[in-house]
Amino acid sequence: MKFTNRTLRIIKNAEFEAKKTTNIVYPIHLFLSMTQEKTGVCAEVNMYNPYLSEILNERFMALYTTNHEIGMVYEPFTINISTSTLQVLEIANSRMKRFNQIFINEGHLADAIFRSDDLLTRLLFEGLEVENIIGILCNPRDMLVSLKNYSVSIDLIDGINFRKAEQGDQTTLKKFVESEFGKGWLNSIENGFLLEEIPIYIAVDNEQILGFACYDLVRGRKGIFGPMGTSFSNRVQGIGTTLLHLCLKEMKELGHEYAIIGEAGPLEFYEKACGAVVIPKTININ
């Protein structure tokens, strides 16, 4: 399993919490660590639920006082984890693969905690605003990038041709998108090729498309970046980052002051690549 940097921080802090109590990492330790994380959507959970960690800690101390599980060794943890934590990791890993991603993030982890069939974990969250928490942590989120002072040196990659898509690329690009990501994005791609200036960039190697990125196509609105995707076998090479910056640069040149990244999955990627921030959700609080 591979984890984002933020998730690795969550794991490290979960171990710290576990050492104060059971000396074994349970799912609740992972979740409590999320509430202490001050970045991204984790910070938003604490903002809308300021007493959540206090409530969970009290419940945990009442429920786990007689637990004598030995636990198991599992990387990247440095102390033993419980069988329920292993189940959470396996569910998170399955969710990550389902979305064709390669790193487990905090959303995958939180979703797995709430999907766990572990009775003690379920009791900890009983009666709490779980749906609101899921909405913050587990669902794709819109992000915002300021283009007012946006300036970046775009790093091209040897052997890969980055260029605007042309009419003759339509069939090949649609086949690539469908084979790698399914049919969900095909409508946006087709709309792009109806325009005189096609707002799509592609990465090509030996006439084979490795990735693509679009703008001004989603929801029929201007100023929205996406969809974007890189073939699974060519991830973590910087292709997506280059495609992202080519689009953002052009969006700025067209006069956009902001770009919205619609329903972003890998939040941490966009935070690092272009300083994107999550647009806060409107939460119904009873």
Side-chain angles (χ1 to χ4, degrees), residues 195 215-224 251 256 258 260:
L195 303 173
Y215 65 90
D216 286 357
L217 293 178
V218 176
R219 306 173 195 169
R221 290 168 52 193
K222 300 287 186 181
I224 298 183
M251 293 175 77
H256 296 305
Y258 297 92
I260 294 174

Side-chain angles (χ1 to χ4, degrees), residues 15-29:
E15 291 181 329
F16 178 78
E17 289 297 314
K19 287 177 181 177
K20 294 190 295 186
T21 53
T22 59
N23 213 37
I24 295 174
V25 178
Y26 287 93
I28 187 57
H29 293 124

Side-chain angles (χ1 to χ4, degrees), residues 1 9 40 78 80 114 164 168 190 199 210:
M1 295 182 188
R9 268 200 317 274
T78 59
N80 286 5
F114 291 119
K164 290 291 287 290
E190 290 169 354
L210 306 180

